[in-house]
């Protein structure tokens, strides 16, 4: 590893950023050496993207200093960051798909002769540049005629050619297949050999261990730790990301009561969709909570979207009450009395400008159809009942829901589905982004729903929480269900071991 | 190679349609296939050809400019008043109107960029504004009797047998060639395509998007002004109702010429042929003598429809088949060695 010297290439100190009172980054330090590939990891909301955006000036930071090769810099836009030597390649290829590869590489800095672009010279340079990256392609062809992997390499080549010393890759491998990932890694190793510092954001742990030199983990906007790859085995890394070290022991689990006799509400066999999640078996029973655990991008949300028909499965069968059913759309799922509270509350769940009452009756109204409007009196009754039942505050049904706190929005969303009296309720990260007090209330709610005989399928990153209410936990990794823990086997270390696939914990895979 | 051909397909198809149409006309009317008819075709459609070039830039960038017809009308009225009533020398009047048009276009571009408004609405407002102001200036047709006008309409390159390449036609050809150079051979042209491909990505690539947007609409309005000058030369008058609906003819010519209405793809040459096709239809009708001139609109409408359908199909075919099979190979060790900055 040709480290040019011990002084860091890029160092950030005390980076902080809040959005409207929410602390997204809290005094984060980060150093990048020349010629290293540095993984930046963390779960959803850990602050990875905020850190990158503040580094590149897309978002202005509240506090903190940044030094590039010892000189303090403060870019105010992506353009300025590029000029300073920090280039970013996003998951979405940010190039013009309709232009030729050569134009994309040199847009804005094409070689010219009296104002005219020297097309032949530009193509020659483009071909030469891409040869360094192991690509021998027709640079005159439009970019969109190439695979996403090649488009990524073109984007990297453009970034590096603009005198980048620091290259930030934000989940570049999310849409690549295994071979394409290898090609990209070959390019990264080559750039590393040239002394370029690379920040690599991903949620594929295999890739981290395949290509990175050091790891920095963020959690809840704070620096959770930085370590060379050799000092941080997988299990420790997962622990660091999920923040379990101290709290593991404190996670208490109520004595478990075997409930195998309870009736199956829905059974899925070899259910799956190519590119979303590998085929899985899943049985959901009345009064039974199934938890889905795994890292970001492991296929948890994909699983529940399949179950709810938001994505159409391309293999396997679904049975509800012993009858074969096809769940092709959320409408059909709702007809089977399934309910789904999505993870992205803001974009997929609440309608911010409507009142609490309108949000609560939304699903019930949709179920009845537009031709049978709920009488206003009935709406008022339903809203009042759930506001009381779930203790939604302030208890004003006519308040726009956007003005409520996250926890109360979440409760109103729950109320929306409870109003349809579902048999199966799917909760995707029900405690995300809400304060600690509300966490406990939501968990208590989940327990009481379960006691009333509803079947629940809950996705959560909060392992301590999941073990307190789940009768069964399914662990996902790389878009496949890899372990199923039931009864007393459900505990935090077992889940962690299954996520990390640590062979040292044989108790994990217990079916 | 195949991809590049697919890209040229719409333009080739347009050109083929024009040539086929010309052949049919020549077979039906033996006098049709003459230099004279071709030259008249260019003269009669010169003003449309000029605005169509500007419209090509706008549409490729992902926008639209509905104001050009009104700008032409305004230009003719302004020129007539300036030359005949206010005593401004014609050449100075030309310069003045082009500057006014440039300012008008720059304003529209700036509003579109900085207020993040759709080009459709902004230029629609521009259309009403320009037309309204020309009515305000004068509601009647004002003849222009300046010496320069008489001189310019006499001036032409003659080919014998009555064929004349007139000044309007020369200006149009110059604009078409200039437009081709600007769009296909300069950085500005590449930026126009990039904007149509992805506005957000273009900004992230460090291209000055606001400046490019303002320049595009400025160019379109200046060309509309130039078209107005040509129109006034052609009619030797200024009238506030002239060139009503020309913006739609220009859009039709651009689309028939193979430019994608959603932006990102197209050629100036295609728009030029699109204009010629529309002119050809009109010439056919005037040769026939018994057909109503509205048939020109009907034929244009059918052609437009056919071309849009054709574009969708070719786009579909071009995008569908397997992405380039050429898989990347890992970099050769030699390349890695070259890239090493320090051992």
């Amino acid at each position: 590893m040709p480290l040019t010297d011990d002084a860091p290439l890029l160092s950030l100190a005390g980076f902080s950023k809040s959005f409207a009172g929410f602390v997204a980054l809290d005094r984060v330090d980060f150093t990048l050496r020349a010629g290293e590939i540095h993984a930046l990891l963390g779960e959803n909301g850990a602050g990875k993207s905020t850190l990158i955006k503040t580094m590149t000036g897309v978002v202005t930071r509240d506090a903190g200093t940044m030094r590039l090769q010892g000189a303090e810099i403060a870019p105010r836009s992506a353009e300025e960051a590029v000029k300073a030597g920090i280039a970013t390649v996003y998951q979405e290829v940010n190039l013009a798909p309709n232009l030729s590869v050569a134009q994309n590489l040199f847009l804005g800095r094409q070689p010219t002769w009296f104002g005219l672009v020297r097309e032949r010279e530009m193509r020659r340079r483009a071909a030469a540049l891409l040869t360094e990256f192991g690509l021998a392609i027709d640079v005159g062809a439009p970019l969109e005629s190439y695979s996403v992997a090649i488009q990524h390499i073109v984007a990297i080549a453009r970034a590096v050619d603009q005198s980048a010393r620091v290259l930030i890759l934000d989940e570049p491998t999310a849409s690549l297949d295994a071979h394409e990932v290898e090609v990209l890694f070959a390019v990264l190793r080559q750039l590393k050999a040239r002394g370029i510092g690379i920040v690599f954001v991903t949620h594929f742990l295999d890739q981290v261990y395949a290509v990175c030199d050091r790891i920095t983990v963020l959690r809840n906007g704070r620096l959770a730790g930085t370590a060379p790859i050799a000092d941080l085995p997988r299990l420790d890394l997962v622990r660091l990301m999920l923040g379990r070290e101290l709290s593991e022991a404190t996670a208490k689990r109520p004595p478990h009561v075997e409930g195998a006799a309870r009736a199956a509400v829905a059974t899925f066999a070899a259910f799956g969709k190519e590119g979303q999640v590998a085929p899985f078996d899943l049985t959901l029973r009345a009064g039974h909570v199934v938890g889905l655990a795994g890292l970001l991008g492991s296929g948890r949300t994909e699983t529940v979207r399949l179950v709810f028909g938001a994505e159409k499965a391309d293999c396997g069968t679904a049975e509800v009450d012993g009858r074969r059913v096809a769940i092709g759309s959320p409408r059909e799922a709702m007809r089977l009395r399934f309910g789904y509270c999505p993870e992205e509350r803001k974009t997929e769940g609440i309608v911010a400008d409507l009142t609490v009452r309108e949000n609560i009756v939304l699903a019930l109204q949709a179920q009845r159809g537009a031709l049978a409007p709920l009488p206003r009196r009935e709406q008022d009754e339903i809203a009042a009942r759930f506001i009381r039942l779930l203790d939604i505050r302030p208890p004003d049904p006519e308040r726009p829901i956007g003005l409520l706190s996250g926890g109360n929005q979440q409760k109103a969303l729950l109320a929306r589905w409870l109003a349809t009296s579902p048999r199966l309720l799917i909760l995707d990260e029900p405690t995300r982004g809400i304060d600690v007090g509300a966490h406990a209330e939501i968990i208590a709610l989940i327990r009481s729903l379960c006691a009333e005989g509803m079947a629940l399928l809950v996705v959560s990153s909060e392992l301590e929480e999941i073990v307190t209410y789940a009768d069964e936990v399914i662990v996902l990794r790389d878009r496949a269900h890899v372990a199923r823990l039931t009864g007393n086997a459900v505990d935090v270390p077992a889940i962690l071991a299954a996520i990390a696939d640590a062979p040292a914990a044989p108790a994990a895979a217990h079916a | 190679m195949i991809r590049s051909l697919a890209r040229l397909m719409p333009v080739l198809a347009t050109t083929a349609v024009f040539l086929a149409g010309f052949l049919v006309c020549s077979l039906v009317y033996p006098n049709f296939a003459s230099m004279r008819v071709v030259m008249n075709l260019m003269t009669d459609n010169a003003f449309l050809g000029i605005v169509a070039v500007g419209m090509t830039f706008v549409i490729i960038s992902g926008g639209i400019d509905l104001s050009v017809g009104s700008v032409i009308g305004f230009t003719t009225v302004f020129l007539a008043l300036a030359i005949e009533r206010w005593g401004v020398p014609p050449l100075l009047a030309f310069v003045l109107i082009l500057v006014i048009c440039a300012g008008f276009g720059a304003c529209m571009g700036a509003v579109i960029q900085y207020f993040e408004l759709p080009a459709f609405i902004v230029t629609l407002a521009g259309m009403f504004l320009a037309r309204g102001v020309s009515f305000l200036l004068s509601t009647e047709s004002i003849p222009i009797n300046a010496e320069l006008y008489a001189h310019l309409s006499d001036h032409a390159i003659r080919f014998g047998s009555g064929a004349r390449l007139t000044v309007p036609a020369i200006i149009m050809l110059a604009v078409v060639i200039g437009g081709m150079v600007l769009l296909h051979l300069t950085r500005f042209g590449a930026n126009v395509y990039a904007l149509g491909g992805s506005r957000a990505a273009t900004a992230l690539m460090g291209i000055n998007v606001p400046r490019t947007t303002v320049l595009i609409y400025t160019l379109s309005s200046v060309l509309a002004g130039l078209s107005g000058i040509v129109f006034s030369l052609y009619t030797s008058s200024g009238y506030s109702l002239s060139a009503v609906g020309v913006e739609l003819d220009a859009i039709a010519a651009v689309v028939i010429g193979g430019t994608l209405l959603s932006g990102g793809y197209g050629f100036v040459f295609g728009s030029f042929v699109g204009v010629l096709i529309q002119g050809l239809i009109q010439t056919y009708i005037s040769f026939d003598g018994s057909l109503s001139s509205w048939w020109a609109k009907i034929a244009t409408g059918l052609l437009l429809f056919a071309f849009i359908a054709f574009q969708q199909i070719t786009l579909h075919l071009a995008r569908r088949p397997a992405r380039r099979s050429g898989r990347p190979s890992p970099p050769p060790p030699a390349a890695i060695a070259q890239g090493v900055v320090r051992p």
Side-chain angles (χ1 to χ4, degrees):
Chain A
M1 191 168 41
L3 289 179
T4 42
D5 52 51
D6 286 319
L9 174 65
L10 179 76
S11 63
L12 315 183
F15 261 50
S16 296
K17 175 73 194 174
S18 314
F19 296 103
F22 171 72
V23 180
L25 274 186
D26 187 8
R27 287 159 290 160
V28 170
D29 300 334
F30 178 79
T31 58
L32 179 70
R33 297 183 193 132
E36 83 167 343
I37 303 178
H38 195 134
L40 181 60
L41 305 177
E43 284 287 274
N44 235 341
K48 287 172 301 183
S49 47
T50 310
L51 183 64
I52 288 173
K53 283 180 184 156
T54 47
M55 274 163 79
T56 54
V58 175
V59 167
T60 46
R61 55 188 185 260
D62 297 340
T65 55
M66 171 156 68
R67 287 175 179 278
L68 182 63
Q69 292 181 324
E72 188 158 341
I73 57 168
R76 280 164 303 170
S77 69
E79 273 177 77
E80 286 190 19
V82 168
K83 282 198 188 107
I86 301 176
T88 313
V89 174
Y90 300 92
Q91 183 178 349
E92 295 281 313
V93 178
N94 275 299
L95 296 174
N98 56 329
L99 289 184
S100 71
V101 171
Q103 286 280 15
N104 268 299
L105 284 169
F106 291 102
L107 193 69
R109 54 195 188 102
Q110 298 99 325
T112 55
W113 177 78
F114 292 109
L116 301 183
V117 172
R118 297 167 64 201
E119 182 74 24
R120 205 173 299 169
E121 170 70 8
M122 182 174 77
R123 287 190 186 193
R124 194 187 60 72
R125 287 193 206 172
L129 178 61
L130 290 183
T131 308
E132 290 177 32
F133 290 86
L135 282 187
I137 57 173
D138 175 10
V139 294
L143 183 76
E144 65 194 345
S145 63
Y146 292 103
S147 68
V148 180
I150 292 183
Q151 296 187 22
H152 267 297
I153 293 174
V154 171
I156 292 172
R158 177 182 166 93
V160 170
D161 196 47
Q162 285 174 299
S163 77
R165 284 167 290 177
V166 174
L167 181 62
I168 301 170
L169 300 170
D170 192 356
E171 296 198 24
T173 56
S175 48
L176 305 187
D177 68 28
H179 174 78
E180 292 171 332
V181 168
E182 262 321 300
V183 173
L184 185 69
F185 283 0
V187 168
L188 295 191
R189 291 193 188 101
Q190 186 201 330
L191 292 176
K192 173 176 138 171
R194 282 204 219 172
I196 289 171
I198 299 169
V199 179
F200 185 53
V201 179
T202 184
H203 50 252
F204 295 107
L205 297 191
D206 290 342
Q207 296 180 359
V208 171
Y209 286 96
V211 77
C212 295
D213 303 308
R214 278 201 302 161
I215 303 176
T216 289
V217 177
L218 297 182
R219 192 173 66 237
N220 296 331
R222 294 217 179 88
L223 180 67
T226 296
I229 206 102
D231 299 349
L232 197 61
R234 234 166 239 252
L235 191 58
D236 294 342
L237 173 60
V238 172
R239 249 188 220 133
L240 206 55
M241 287 171 73
L242 298 178
R244 299 304 133 190
E245 281 182 287
L246 296 171
S247 48
E248 244 171 64
T250 62
K252 287 209 184 68
R253 182 178 163 73
H256 188 76
V257 189
E258 273 309 319
R262 278 180 281 202
V265 169
T267 311
F268 298 87
F271 210 61
K273 180 172 183 180
E274 177 109 33
Q276 297 277 327
V277 64
F280 59 87
D281 297 333
L282 179 65
T283 304
L284 301 162
R285 298 173 190 283
H288 202 76
V289 182
V290 176
L292 294 177
L295 294 176
L296 184 68
S298 59
R300 297 170 306 182
T301 298
E302 288 79 358
T303 300
V304 298
R305 285 174 63 84
L306 276 180
V307 168
F308 193 62
E311 287 285 344
K312 213 171 159 169
D314 59 9
C315 65
T317 57
E319 276 182 21
V320 173
D321 294 335
R323 262 200 331 225
R324 277 283 287 273
V325 290
I327 307 173
S329 69
R331 280 182 65 89
E332 287 170 29
M334 282 168 69
R335 217 169 286 144
L336 295 166
R337 289 178 47 218
F338 289 5
Y340 174 40
C341 292
E343 177 178 8
E344 294 295 332
R345 207 162 47 226
K346 289 249 156 51
T347 55
E348 290 178 28
I350 63 163
V351 186
D353 294 331
L354 294 186
T355 64
V356 173
R357 170 181 54 81
E358 288 164 325
N359 269 285
I360 289 178
V361 300
L362 202 62
L364 187 59
Q365 182 64 70
Q367 203 179 42
R368 299 228 175 144
L371 293 177
L374 282 169
R376 176 60 191 260
R377 201 145 48 94
E378 203 175 323
Q379 290 188 23
D380 287 338
E381 274 170 27
I382 293 170
R385 180 153 56 93
F386 283 107
I387 286 173
R388 198 176 55 241
L389 205 66
L390 305 186
D391 193 21
I392 296 174
R393 273 166 293 185
D396 173 9
E398 299 309 314
R399 199 176 172 83
I401 199 167
L403 302 179
L404 268 59
S405 72
N408 284 297
Q409 288 180 0
Q410 188 67 8
K411 287 193 220 163
L413 263 187
L414 265 172
R416 174 191 294 172
W417 290 108
L418 294 178
T420 65
S421 42
R423 286 186 301 185
L424 167 64
L425 187 59
I426 302 165
L427 304 173
D428 197 350
E429 296 285 3
T431 54
R432 156 90 16 92
I434 61 183
D435 60 65
V436 181
H439 268 229
E441 287 181 45
I442 298 275
I443 290 164
L445 245 163
I446 290 174
R447 280 190 177 147
S448 68
L449 289 174
C450 175
E452 281 170 26
M454 201 177 283
L456 284 159
L457 180 60
V458 184
V459 172
S460 182
S461 308
E462 306 289 334
L463 299 189
E464 292 93 348
E465 285 183 14
I466 238 179
V467 301
T468 61
Y469 53 70
D471 299 292
E472 175 180 334
V473 171
I474 291 171
V475 178
L476 289 94
R477 192 175 61 234
D478 292 338
R479 298 179 179 267
H481 293 214
V482 295
R484 194 166 138 250
L485 311 170
T486 51
N488 292 322
V490 176
D491 61 19
V492 173
I495 296 174
L496 279 174
I499 290 174
D501 188 24
H510 170 99
Chain B
M1 261 327 267
I2 297 159
R3 284 289 316 197
S4 319
L5 270 182
R7 177 156 292 218
L8 286 172
M9 270 298 276
V11 182
L12 295 178
T14 309
T15 312
V17 165
F18 174 71
L19 293 178
F22 198 83
L23 190 71
V24 168
C25 292
S26 314
L27 291 177
V28 177
Y29 305 106
N31 298 340
F32 201 96
S34 69
M35 221 25 193
R36 187 171 170 181
V37 168
V38 175
M39 288 303 137
N40 285 350
L41 195 61
M42 299 235 251
T43 306
D44 294 344
N45 295 288
F47 73 99
L48 183 58
I50 295 168
V51 282
V53 170
M55 190 67 80
T56 309
F57 279 80
V58 174
I59 292 182
I60 288 177
S61 79
I64 194 95
D65 188 351
L66 299 177
S67 71
V68 291
S70 300
V71 171
I72 294 173
F74 170 76
T75 302
T76 64
V77 174
F78 177 88
L79 288 176
L81 286 176
I83 295 168
E84 296 299 321
R85 305 263 167 91
W86 308 332
V88 179
L91 284 176
L92 181 60
F94 291 168
V95 173
L96 275 178
I97 190 63
L98 291 180
V99 170
I100 293 172
C101 289
F104 183 70
C107 285
M108 287 196 300
V111 170
I112 290 166
Q113 174 66 35
Y114 293 106
F115 292 90
E116 292 175 11
L117 288 171
F120 187 93
I121 295 300
V122 175
T123 59
L124 187 69
M127 171 179 121
F128 286 123
L129 198 70
R131 189 65 74 183
V133 171
S134 42
F135 277 118
L136 207 62
L137 289 178
S138 168
T139 50
E140 54 205 275
S141 177
I142 308 158
I144 304 174
N145 303 312
E147 222 173 278
L148 182 76
Y149 269 66
H151 181 69
L152 282 179
S153 38
D154 267 352
H155 201 82
I157 301 170
R158 284 158 218 278
F159 292 96
S161 72
R164 301 162 72 238
L165 187 62
T166 57
V167 173
I170 293 170
I171 294 176
M172 174 186 66
L173 289 177
V175 167
V176 168
I177 292 167
M180 284 163 74
V181 170
L182 188 62
L183 183 62
H184 304 307
L185 299 179
T186 65
R187 284 183 180 178
F188 172 72
N191 294 349
V192 171
Y193 278 103
L195 270 185
S198 167
R199 208 178 171 79
T202 307
L204 280 175
M205 286 165 91
I207 299 303
N208 192 335
V209 171
R211 179 171 158 266
T212 310
T213 305
V214 168
L215 278 178
I216 288 167
Y217 287 91
T218 306
L219 177 73
S220 177
S221 288
V222 165
L223 287 180
L226 185 61
S227 173
I229 294 173
V230 166
F231 199 87
S232 75
L233 280 177
Y234 183 66
T235 60
S236 291
S237 67
Y239 185 32
S240 47
L241 270 177
S242 50
V244 170
V246 162
E247 61 281 348
L248 302 181
D249 290 336
I251 293 169
V254 171
V255 172
I256 289 176
T259 298
L260 207 60
L261 205 48
S262 52
Y265 305 86
F267 299 93
V268 168
F269 181 75
S271 305
F272 173 63
V273 179
V275 168
L276 289 185
I277 288 180
Q278 288 193 41
L280 187 70
I281 296 168
Q282 236 136 21
T283 312
Y284 177 90
I285 284 163
S286 62
F287 259 73
D288 182 275
S290 67
L291 284 173
S292 155
S293 68
W294 291 109
W295 280 104
K297 297 280 177 207
I298 293 172
T300 307
L302 289 176
L303 259 184
L304 197 56
F305 185 76
F307 270 93
I308 292 169
F310 173 74
Q311 273 181 7
Q312 278 315 95
I313 294 166
T314 42
L315 258 188
H316 205 66
L317 290 180
R319 282 187 183 165
R320 261 301 163 83
R323 303 241 155 195
R324 257 170 201 245
S325 50
R327 283 212 150 190
S329 49
I336 296 173
Q338 282 163 12
V340 174
V341 176
R342 285 182 54 164

